[in-house]
Amino acid sequence: MAEKRDYYEVLGLQKGASAEEIKKAYRKLAKENHPDLHPGDKACEERFKEINEAYEILSDDDKRAKYDQYGHAAFDPSAGFGGAGFEGFGDFGDLGDIFSSFFGGGFGGGFGGTRTNPNAPRRGENLRASVNISFEEAAFGCKKEVTVGREVCPDCKGTGTVRTTQRTPFGMAQSTSPCQKCRGTGKIIHQPCKTCRGMGSVRRQHKINVTVPAGIDDGQAISLHGQGNDGVNGGPAGDLLVSVIVRPHARFERDGNSVLLLQDISYAQAALGAEIEVPTIDGPVKLTIPEGTQPGSTFRLRGKGIPYLRGSGRGDQFVTVSVKVPKGLTGSQKELLRQFAASMGELDRAGSSSGGGIFGKKKK
């Protein structure tokens, strides 16, 4: 398997690039390598996937921080990172657990200081996911299914404590102590460590339906209340935060709620006027090109833009025309153009330059 390229290298950026630079680079590269523009090009398709993968990580602050610290290993299950930090020494509360195991926890807060009550209600942790949608899906909204992984400790079954029974000189005694595998939290959110060889946690995949609202833009997030990790001891569940990645369109650009389109027209259409068909997110529509339209002219299609995310109505579509100069003309076509230029006073009888028109260079 080929080694993954650095995500910053994929987007052509330096490590300290800003969020705006990352977004700008992604849009440029994703559009250049869009599969719709290169049908059947497998190499281009792979580059497009690589660009999307790099943007998914670098556009998320948490994922980017992990990547900057650990590189690709931060998201490799076999590497054992999984976002978990190093936990050193310094908590001597375990000595209190030794006494509690013999005396049933009668020392209250533990040996050497006060410990947090493991039975207090605690809110579940937030989970993060991302969803990749098309330009049109962002405009009109859609429903997507995302998969999130939750891990429950197999020893304590998510309760955070384990009950043990020991024989003492006074008979059998039961005691409750913090679960050593999940450290009393009841949840394991990191990847299985090398020490337990993956036996310390069980990952359970959950599929959740996400409603993407019409008008959402690239980089925005959807918060699903209560869809994160379950709370502990009656605490509320966390939330699921879904980041939205909008794939660039082969023809359209987006500016707020406006859709931008660059449309080629012929010289004859620009000079004589014409009715042409242009694409919109609603489908093709007719656009009237007035006689004498100049290159760079922009026309507005009202109500053909992006729906407003929080409110009614839609933006507009703006069509900027580019006059396409013909290539590979035949001899007869060139002669007709010379005759036309001569009638406009742009060429003399010999066919040399006599003016500043588009068919000849200006005289010195």
Side-chain angles (χ1 to χ4, degrees):
M1 183 181 292
E3 184 177 350
K4 279 190 176 184
R5 286 202 298 158
D6 179 80
Y7 286 146
Y8 291 100
E9 178 187 341
V10 170
L11 299 182
L13 298 170
Q14 298 296 321
K15 190 172 183 179
S18 67
E20 186 60 34
E21 289 173 330
I22 291 172
K23 188 173 184 178
K24 185 177 180 180
Y26 164 71
R27 286 186 170 180
K28 177 177 180 294
L29 291 172
K31 185 166 186 178
E32 290 175 355
N33 294 274
H34 201 287
D36 290 350
L37 297 178
H38 308 274
D41 189 337
K42 294 297 182 183
C44 182
E45 185 177 339
E46 290 302 317
R47 285 196 300 272
F48 186 73
K49 291 179 181 178
E50 184 183 44
I51 291 164
N52 274 282
E53 180 181 330
Y55 181 69
E56 180 180 351
I57 298 300
L58 298 184
S59 62
D60 185 290
D61 291 340
D62 290 341
K63 292 180 181 178
R64 182 181 180 184
K66 292 176 183 177
Y67 178 75
D68 287 346
Q69 186 173 5
Y70 301 114
H72 292 297
F75 309 99
D76 182 0
S78 64
F81 287 100
F86 174 78
E87 295 182 5
F89 299 97
D91 181 6
F92 295 96
D94 289 343
L95 293 177
D97 295 338
I98 297 175
F99 284 92
S100 297
S101 66
F102 286 99
F103 298 102
F107 288 93
F111 183 83
T114 302
R115 295 174 60 88
T116 302
N117 180 8
N119 294 317
R122 294 194 302 276
R123 184 179 185 273
E125 295 180 353
N126 290 338
L127 295 178
R128 290 184 177 272
S130 62
V131 63
N132 198 306
I133 61 176
S134 68
F135 192 93
E136 290 84 356
E137 287 175 327
F140 297 117
C142 60
K143 291 186 181 296
K144 292 289 183 178
E145 187 178 73
V146 298
T147 302
V148 294
R150 299 189 183 102
E151 294 184 2
V152 179
C153 177
D155 279 18
C156 66
K157 310 301 181 186
T159 64
T161 59
V162 289
R163 184 174 298 277
T164 58
T165 302
Q166 292 180 325
R167 185 181 298 277
T168 70
F170 306 101
M172 302 298 292
Q174 284 189 341
S175 64
T176 300
S177 61
C179 173
Q180 297 302 305
K181 284 191 176 180
C182 67
R183 297 180 181 270
T185 65
K187 296 288 188 292
I188 299 177
I189 60 171
H190 54 78
Q191 298 293 343
C193 67
K194 294 180 180 179
T195 304
C196 67
R197 299 180 181 180
M199 297 302 292
S201 63
V202 175
R203 178 178 290 277
R204 294 178 180 175
Q205 300 293 333
H206 294 260
K207 295 185 181 297
I208 298 175
N209 292 319
V210 179
T211 299
V212 180
I216 199 164
D217 203 354
D218 180 64
Q220 293 182 319
I222 303 167
S223 178
L224 300 181
H225 182 68
Q227 294 292 339
N229 274 339
D230 291 337
V232 178
N233 299 325
D239 299 334
L240 173 62
L241 306 177
V242 182
S243 300
V244 176
I245 299 174
V246 181
R247 299 190 297 273
H249 196 276
R251 293 290 308 276
F252 301 131
E253 292 280 353
R254 179 172 175 174
D255 183 9
N257 289 91
S258 300
V259 174
L260 311 180
L261 173 70
L262 182 64
Q263 179 69 39
D264 288 335
I265 61 174
S266 69
Y267 174 76
Q269 289 173 324
L272 302 175
E275 186 177 69
I276 64 173
E277 192 175 79
V278 297
T280 72
I281 57 177
D282 298 302
V285 300
K286 299 291 185 181
L287 174 65
T288 300
I289 304 296
E291 179 181 330
T293 293
Q294 299 300 306
S297 298
T298 299
F299 301 92
R300 182 198 297 264
L301 297 175
R302 295 189 180 277
K304 294 297 182 181
I306 306 294
Y308 292 104
L309 183 61
R310 295 178 181 85
S312 60
R314 292 173 58 175
D316 302 325
Q317 177 169 321
F318 295 89
V319 181
T320 301
V321 297
S322 173
V323 177
K324 199 170 184 179
V325 178
K327 297 180 180 180
L329 297 176
T330 65
S332 60
Q333 289 172 331
K334 290 179 182 179
E335 181 58 31
L336 288 172
L337 284 176
R338 290 191 185 96
Q339 293 176 19
F340 170 75
S343 71
M344 298 293 290
E346 295 176 348
L347 293 176
D348 58 23
R349 293 179 181 177
S352 60
S353 174
S354 63
I358 65 172
F359 298 101
K361 295 181 180 178
K362 289 185 178 181
K363 285 184 177 180
K364 294 183 179 178

